[in-house]
Amino acid sequence: VDLGRNVKMSHARVHENTGLQVGRVDVRQDADSNYRSTVVTLGGALLRFDVRCLLQGKGAECQLDGAYLIDGEDLVDHHTLVEHQASHCRSRQSYRGIVSGKGTAVFDGIVVVHRDAQKTEAHQENRNLLLSETATVHTKPHLEIDADDVVCSHGVTVGSLDEHQLFYLRARGIPEDLAHSMLTYAFLESIVEGVSHEPTRARLREALLTRIPHGHRVRGF
């Protein structure tokens, strides 16, 4: 993908292949361009997908969002690389995953800020829910900064469903199994809602509801 000056692009990619899959998207951005990527992975026996963005023009922006739902013995591997090569550029990454069964998820995100890329703003976030004792997550967001006038951050969470949120729902008469499903769906829905193409967004909502327990009951809410 080669974005010229002031060009904006929204790119949604959905992985529903249950077999083997390897993919990569490379993006080069000129001044004041804007690229938004949403990657939704609904399982895969062995999957690796890379997104690489080069912010080469002043004022370029990119946002990389991802959601993955993994079960069984699937192995899903997401890698991102964002290089800030010009000044006044912004990037944001938000990946969320739910892993159950014996599934394994990997997130490896790199942000590189070059010496001339002053006034950079870059943020990374990877949040994961483990729904079984045999599920595994390997996550490694990291920053390589060679400029001194930047605002950069990265964060990771790996855990289970929030007990306070579960208590809130159960206190209002919602059964525990349904409360689990509602929170699981809501965790990934925030990423899906970022897809600008309505037919794709609706299909993704339905795909999530089909794959989580009691999804047909969550649909009623």
Side-chain angles (χ1 to χ4, degrees):
V1 178
D2 195 340
L3 299 184
R5 182 182 294 270
N6 295 317
V7 173
K8 296 183 179 181
M9 179 179 179
S10 180
H11 183 193
R13 182 178 175 111
V14 182
H15 299 136
E16 295 182 282
N17 188 348
T18 58
L20 309 179
Q21 188 170 183
V22 177
R24 172 172 157 177
V25 171
D26 289 274
V27 183
R28 191 201 69 81
Q29 297 185 235
D30 207 341
D32 298 315
S33 62
N34 187 297
Y35 176 75
R36 180 164 188 171
S37 166
T38 305
V39 177
V40 180
T41 300
L42 303 172
L46 178 60
L47 179 143
R48 170 163 172 165
F49 184 65
D50 293 25
V51 181
R52 299 188 175 195
C53 292
L54 304 181
L55 307 181
Q56 295 184 339
K58 181 179 178 180
E61 299 185 12
C62 74
Q63 179 163 341
L64 309 181
D65 295 333
Y68 42 93
L69 182 61
I70 305 169
D71 198 358
E73 298 184 356
D74 290 353
L75 170 58
V76 170
D77 196 346
H78 289 95
H79 289 239
T80 64
L81 170 63
V82 178
E83 287 199 45
H84 288 257
Q85 298 180 351
S87 65
H88 294 84
C89 293
R90 297 181 179 181
S91 68
R92 183 175 295 274
Q93 301 179 53
S94 179
Y95 274 69
R96 293 190 173 199
I98 296 175
V99 189
S100 58
K102 296 181 179 180
T104 300
V106 177
F107 174 78
D108 191 317
I110 306 174
V111 173
V112 179
V113 181
H114 291 263
R115 183 167 301 178
D116 294 333
Q118 302 296 338
K119 303 295 183 180
T120 283
E121 184 176 345
H123 304 284
Q124 284 181 301
E125 178 189 67
N126 179 224
R127 299 180 62 189
N128 298 275
L129 285 180
L130 299 181
L131 300 186
S132 70
E133 295 183 356
T134 53
T136 303
V137 170
H138 302 287
T139 177
K140 189 175 70 171
H142 53 288
L143 308 169
E144 299 177 11
I145 302 173
D146 197 24
D148 56 13
D149 188 1
V150 302
V151 178
C152 297
S153 67
H154 61 92
V156 170
T157 61
V158 179
S160 55
L161 291 172
D162 190 305
E163 292 296 330
H164 295 290
Q165 293 178 344
L166 281 173
F167 177 80
Y168 178 87
L169 293 176
R170 296 192 65 193
R172 281 147 183 79
I174 297 175
E176 183 175 2
D177 56 352
L178 180 56
H180 273 268
S181 297
M182 292 174 65
L183 292 176
T184 300
Y185 174 73
F187 185 75
L188 295 184
E189 185 189 28
S190 61
I191 299 295
V192 170
E193 287 302 304
V195 176
S196 59
H197 187 245
E198 171 56 32
T200 301
R201 188 165 65 246
R203 184 164 68 88
L204 287 173
R205 289 197 203 102
E206 189 62 28
L208 290 179
L209 290 170
T210 300
R211 286 167 170 80
I212 65 173
H214 311 291
H216 63 289
R217 296 168 66 189
V218 175
R219 188 184 291 109
F221 289 88

